Amino acid sequence: LSLMPEGTVKHSSQQISEHFDFFGSFISIGADRDFAKVTVYSLNKYLSQTLEMLEEIVKEPTFPQEELEIWSKKGKYNLTVELDKTSTLSRMEFFRRLFGSEHAYGTFAMPNDYDSIKRESLTNFHSQRISSSDAILVLAGKTDDNHIKLIEKHIGNTNWGNQNVSTSDFLPKALNSTGKYFVHKPNALQSAIRVGREMFPRTHPDFTDMVVINTILGGYFGSRLMKNIREDKGYTYGIGSTLAPLRDSGFFAISTEVGAEFTKQTLNEIKSEVEKLKTEPISSSELQTVKNYMMGDILRSFNGPFSISDNIIGLLNFNNLEYEYFNKQIDSVKNITPERIIELSKMWLDQNLMVECVAGAEDPF
């Protein structure tokens, strides 16, 4: 997908780049485990010229062989560099253990994969998978009816591409391994740690409450993990946790990099902090601090048209959630109690169901 702006039926990569530069526009293309997204920023007065080129890029990319070779060489080199990092090794092991190497969420590209990418494969993928079917168009900014008509003219007025695309491809059951796994990286000065488990998508009734619990544990700079392992112990520059929703699943993960000599101690402190969530009621002052932070973060996430559009895209992509989801999110922040935190922590943060992945020079297990 990132090669789509590198050549169309009518324009070369250089011509496309010069076109966007001339009209002060910018295009960004990315894909994650579930979705692909094309984002274009444009001045209102040049929206027509920007959309004209965008239409070509989306509908008529040619994936020139020369550009493919350059992209492949860069990608192979960058991935080779990444695979030399303990953080990358622990992350890959973590997802393989959670979902399995045959699962879309547990599969990773390797450097040699770039050698097997063929132009024909890209054109076939584009013709089969990139279309107006199930596509979402979001226009953000100081817009009016004329801008909407331009969008419809270039992208949204008629169907284009294969209309039989399915976004509900079968996924195998997640592997859901538990236990401790070590990836050896000789002479590594630091160990990279990932601890967590498979969770659930945003549609799960416990999701918004678990976001609050995750924030308490490691979701912001004042979290318990940061205070303990960074500020008090000095084992790391940074540690955090995340509760990440996916289209068909989700995961909880604690991640950090520590000096190799502090690996065991860090793992013990992580376990200690998780256990405290299950056994010790949070103080009213700490809970209020977290609530204040989270309410401010929610408000910040709606600050400006681009942030609003990202929120809308997130709702529509993830199981067609309604706007009511945001009210549920706010209700969780306002109304969650210490008792509810203990209840959910016991239910979802059972360490016997978690996987621990460490990449480094010495096995801490």
Side-chain angles (χ1 to χ4, degrees):
L1 293 174
S2 59
L3 279 171
M4 289 200 303
E6 300 304 325
T8 67
V9 172
K10 299 176 183 177
H11 294 91
S12 67
S13 175
Q14 182 175 343
Q15 289 172 327
I16 293 171
S17 179
E18 289 175 349
H19 180 94
F20 283 123
D21 285 345
F22 183 81
F23 291 108
S25 305
F26 176 76
I27 185 170
S28 171
I29 299 179
D32 58 23
R33 294 179 180 86
D34 291 310
F35 308 104
K37 182 169 68 172
V38 180
T39 304
V40 172
Y41 302 91
S42 173
L43 298 172
N44 280 348
K45 62 181 178 179
Y46 295 133
L47 182 60
S48 178
Q49 292 90 334
T50 300
L51 290 174
E52 183 178 354
M53 184 60 74
L54 175 64
E55 182 180 13
E56 277 191 41
I57 290 171
V58 172
K59 296 181 180 180
E60 301 177 329
T62 56
F63 307 104
Q65 183 63 35
E66 181 181 353
E67 300 294 340
L68 172 58
E69 291 174 0
I70 294 172
W71 178 85
S72 295
K73 289 179 181 177
K74 288 182 178 178
K76 184 176 183 178
Y77 172 78
N78 290 336
L79 182 54
T80 301
V81 173
E82 277 296 312
L83 291 174
D84 197 47
K85 300 176 181 178
T86 54
S87 57
T88 301
L89 297 175
S90 67
R91 174 173 56 85
M92 292 171 66
E93 185 70 10
F94 178 78
F95 284 107
R96 287 194 189 108
R97 296 298 177 178
L98 285 193
F99 298 104
S101 58
E102 300 301 317
H103 195 290
Y105 296 153
T107 301
F108 293 90
M110 299 304 289
N112 289 339
D113 291 332
Y114 283 93
D115 298 329
S116 61
I117 298 177
K118 305 300 181 185
R119 179 178 175 275
E120 292 76 18
S121 300
L122 300 181
T123 56
N124 289 337
F125 181 87
H126 179 270
S127 64
Q128 294 169 9
R129 306 289 297 188
I130 308 300
S131 74
S132 58
S133 175
D134 291 320
I136 298 170
L137 301 177
V138 177
L139 179 64
K142 190 177 181 181
T143 62
D144 56 33
D145 290 342
N146 290 328
H147 299 140
I148 295 174
K149 290 176 181 178
L150 283 174
I151 293 283
E152 292 175 343
K153 172 186 174 183
H154 290 285
I155 306 291
N157 217 19
T158 58
N159 290 332
W160 48 270
N162 178 16
Q163 294 304 298
N164 296 316
V165 175
S166 172
T167 58
S168 57
D169 293 338
F170 171 77
L171 288 175
K173 183 177 176 60
L175 189 61
N176 269 331
S177 297
T178 59
K180 310 175 194 303
Y181 301 93
F182 174 67
V183 181
H184 187 220
K185 177 68 172 65
N187 303 317
L189 299 179
Q190 288 190 316
S191 296
I193 297 171
R194 282 230 174 193
V195 178
R197 59 166 296 182
E198 186 191 13
M199 282 292 198
F200 34 67
R202 287 184 181 180
T203 51
H204 194 283
D206 290 341
F207 182 82
T208 53
D209 281 351
M210 282 301 297
V211 171
V212 180
I213 294 172
N214 174 73
T215 304
I216 294 168
L217 180 63
Y220 76 120
F221 194 78
S223 70
R224 291 182 173 186
L225 288 173
M226 284 289 283
K227 286 181 178 178
N228 180 350
I229 298 173
R230 180 187 189 273
E231 295 179 16
D232 293 345
K233 304 296 189 303
Y235 294 159
T236 180
Y237 286 112
I239 183 171
S241 63
T242 183
L243 182 66
L246 302 169
R247 190 191 71 176
D248 297 297
S249 183
F251 64 89
F252 165 77
I254 298 168
S255 57
T256 187
E257 293 178 71
V258 300
E261 66 273 25
F262 301 125
T263 307
K264 288 184 180 180
Q265 297 96 315
T266 300
L267 288 168
N268 289 335
E269 293 301 328
I270 288 173
K271 292 176 183 177
S272 174
E273 291 298 339
V274 171
E275 287 305 309
K276 285 179 183 177
L277 284 171
K278 304 176 192 177
T279 58
E280 300 178 11
I282 187 172
S283 69
S284 57
S285 60
E286 182 184 4
L287 183 56
Q288 191 59 52
T289 297
V290 171
K291 290 182 175 184
N292 291 343
Y293 166 80
M294 292 190 70
M295 286 301 298
D297 194 51
I298 292 171
L299 292 174
R300 181 196 56 76
S301 72
F302 287 92
N303 183 23
F306 304 125
S307 298
I308 293 172
S309 67
D310 285 341
N311 274 302
I312 293 172
I313 291 170
L315 282 185
L316 297 175
N317 276 344
F318 286 100
N319 312 95
N320 287 316
L321 289 167
E322 301 292 336
Y323 293 122
E324 182 61 27
Y325 170 81
F326 296 121
N327 291 330
K328 187 174 186 296
Q329 189 179 25
I330 292 171
D331 286 342
S332 285
V333 174
K334 286 184 174 181
N335 300 319
I336 195 168
T337 64
E339 293 75 21
R340 176 67 170 164
I341 291 169
I342 290 176
E343 174 193 352
L344 288 180
S345 296
K346 288 180 177 179
M347 184 183 304
W348 295 112
L349 300 182
D350 183 346
Q351 299 196 60
N352 293 320
L353 300 179
M354 291 195 191
V355 60
E356 299 177 44
C357 295
V358 174
E362 295 185 12
D363 188 343
F365 304 124

